[in-house]
Amino acid sequence: GATSLARIPPSVLRTHNKRDDAWAAFSGKVYNITPYLAFHPGGEKELMRIAGRDGTKLFALTHAWVNVDFMLDACLVGFLVPEPSS
Ligand code: HEM
């Protein structure tokens, strides 16, 4: 359920930037995009540009009409949160 979803700061998101372990954030939600890579109509290479990053802007530039929330619902990992201050 929603209560078990993780709170993920950018420093943690950044570590998931590999082909076999790729996460990306869209509008505050973090998704595991690894299983979708092979299915992306725009290709794996394009999608890997946002691995480990916030892809909100690039996504809006390429296809604002596509619904990520709907498509990747099963791949939701958690929510992007600010870096904890030290
Ligand atoms: C095409 C999904 C991220 C670049 C598409 C299409 C879908 C899709 C459904 C087909 C759209 C259509 O035909 O109307 C997604 C999802 C993403 C994602 C779910 C995030 C998880 C990205 C990113 C980029 C990108 C970050 C660019 C860096 C493209 C391009 C096409 C495309 C260039 C056009 C391919 C073509 O028609 O030749 N994507 N996309 N996508 N996507 Fe993505």
Side-chain angles (χ1 to χ4, degrees):
T3 51
S4 63
L5 287 169
R7 293 165 52 84
I8 302 148
S11 60
V12 172
L13 177 61
R14 211 152 35 229
T15 64
H16 299 271
N17 63 352
K18 291 155 205 77
R19 171 68 191 78
D20 60 353
D21 175 22
W23 291 6
F26 301 99
S27 307
K29 289 181 184 174
V30 176
Y31 294 94
N32 177 2
I33 58 171
T34 315
Y36 182 65
L37 280 168
F39 302 98
H40 179 227
E44 196 173 303
K45 200 179 157 200
E46 289 282 59
L47 196 45
M48 275 305 290
R49 288 170 61 187
I50 52 146
R53 299 177 44 202
D54 188 334
T56 309
K57 278 183 198 157
L58 204 46
F59 186 89
L61 283 172
T62 46
H63 35 43
W65 60 90
V66 174
N67 190 330
V68 189
D69 285 346
F70 176 77
M71 287 188 62
L72 298 185
D73 183 58
C75 300
L76 183 63
V77 177
F79 299 98
L80 188 64
V81 297
E83 207 60 49
S85 47
S86 45

